[in-house]
Amino acid sequence: CGVRLFKATWNTANGRYDWRSPFLLTVSKRISARGLMEPWLATLADGTLYLDMRGSSSEWTPGRHWYSVSKDKGENWSPVADLRYNTGEQFYSPSTFAKTIRSTRTGKLYWVGNIASEPPKGNWPRRPLVLAEFDEAQVAIRKSTVTVIDDYDPEGDASPYVQFSNFSLVEHSETQALEVYLTRYGEAGTLQEKTYWQSDAFKYVIMLD
């Protein structure tokens, strides 16, 4: 898998967009066994385009999260690199997507995704789900701000394979709180049971300082 970037220019004469694809992002299977997937685009404070991408572990590389940036409005992109903490440290991430959102309350950009405590194998473990401030100058996650939204509860969840990976992220237009909507697959059964897919949908409300 690779991520192809498209740009469009409005064609007044034809009343439609003219599309072109100036760039394709790929990595070796030594870096990500399944390539790059589920891209998420954000604009940084200085106008840089930031592209966040899901990868997958390989025989040679543990699970990471990947990114590329463009300084010229998407014409050219930097070599794909692993997303790190602002301290320069690497972190593990399973093969799941992440999302960013800029808060109108604080003006800051936030990253929401899965950061694993151990090297993941493919998609697992899809936990915990965390929120962190994004360091736009360094293009990194501020390590000191990483906050767990939810994680596996051995006393309440039926399976350690409970997922915190498929979610929606929005900002409430009135309260300016961040809202995460997520179905906790695996809370009611193991991977071998039909009940694994039977779960309630949860709403998480995050008030930012």
Side-chain angles (χ1 to χ4, degrees), residues 101-175:
I101 189 169
R102 188 174 299 280
S103 167
T104 56
R105 182 184 182 89
T106 67
K108 297 177 181 179
L109 188 68
Y110 296 87
W111 186 93
V112 179
N114 301 121
I115 293 181
S117 59
E118 58 189 32
K121 294 181 180 180
N123 296 2
W124 308 103
R126 290 182 167 226
R127 58 179 173 85
L129 181 67
V130 307
L131 173 142
E133 290 182 16
F134 196 87
D135 188 319
E136 300 182 59
Q138 294 191 45
V139 189
I141 290 175
R142 293 188 186 276
K143 185 178 181 180
S144 63
T145 67
V146 174
T147 303
V148 174
I149 298 173
D150 202 356
D151 198 358
Y152 166 60
D153 178 4
E155 296 184 0
D157 293 324
S159 171
Y161 287 94
V162 60
Q163 298 186 32
F164 302 93
S165 52
N166 297 308
F167 60 89
S168 296
L169 174 65
V170 297
E171 181 184 80
H172 194 285
S173 60
E174 296 180 358
T175 66

Side-chain angles (χ1 to χ4, degrees), residues 8-182:
T9 302
W10 179 252
N11 188 320
T12 303
N14 295 331
R16 59 175 175 78
Y17 284 102
D18 292 331
W19 289 89
R20 61 190 181 87
S21 178
F23 217 81
L24 171 67
L25 291 170
T26 61
V27 294
S28 164
K29 288 187 177 181
R30 286 178 172 267
I31 294 176
S32 174
R34 287 181 285 168
L36 303 170
M37 300 168 281
E38 297 182 332
W40 185 265
L41 188 66
T43 303
L44 305 186
D46 65 356
T48 297
L49 294 179
Y50 168 80
L51 190 68
D52 192 287
M53 293 167 284
R54 165 187 173 181
S56 184
S57 60
S58 72
E59 182 180 347
W60 303 273
T61 307
R64 307 285 189 198
H65 225 80
W66 305 93
Y67 80 95
S68 177
V69 295
S70 174
K71 299 286 188 179
D72 57 5
K73 299 182 180 180
E75 290 295 324
N76 295 280
W77 292 81
S78 65
V80 176
D82 60 307
L83 183 61
R84 302 189 179 197
Y85 292 126
N86 62 322
T87 58
E89 299 170 78
Q90 293 179 298
F91 63 84
Y92 300 120
S93 186
S95 184
T96 58
F97 67 66
K99 294 184 177 182
T100 59
I101 189 169
R102 188 174 299 280
S103 167
T104 56
R105 182 184 182 89
T106 67
K108 297 177 181 179
L109 188 68
Y110 296 87
W111 186 93
V112 179
N114 301 121
I115 293 181
S117 59
E118 58 189 32
K121 294 181 180 180
N123 296 2
W124 308 103
R126 290 182 167 226
R127 58 179 173 85
L129 181 67
V130 307
L131 173 142
E133 290 182 16
F134 196 87
D135 188 319
E136 300 182 59
Q138 294 191 45
V139 189
I141 290 175
R142 293 188 186 276
K143 185 178 181 180
S144 63
T145 67
V146 174
T147 303
V148 174
I149 298 173
D150 202 356
D151 198 358
Y152 166 60
D153 178 4
E155 296 184 0
D157 293 324
S159 171
Y161 287 94
V162 60
Q163 298 186 32
F164 302 93
S165 52
N166 297 308
F167 60 89
S168 296
L169 174 65
V170 297
E171 181 184 80
H172 194 285
S173 60
E174 296 180 358
T175 66
Q176 296 181 329
L178 299 185
E179 296 182 349
V180 175
Y181 295 85
L182 179 146

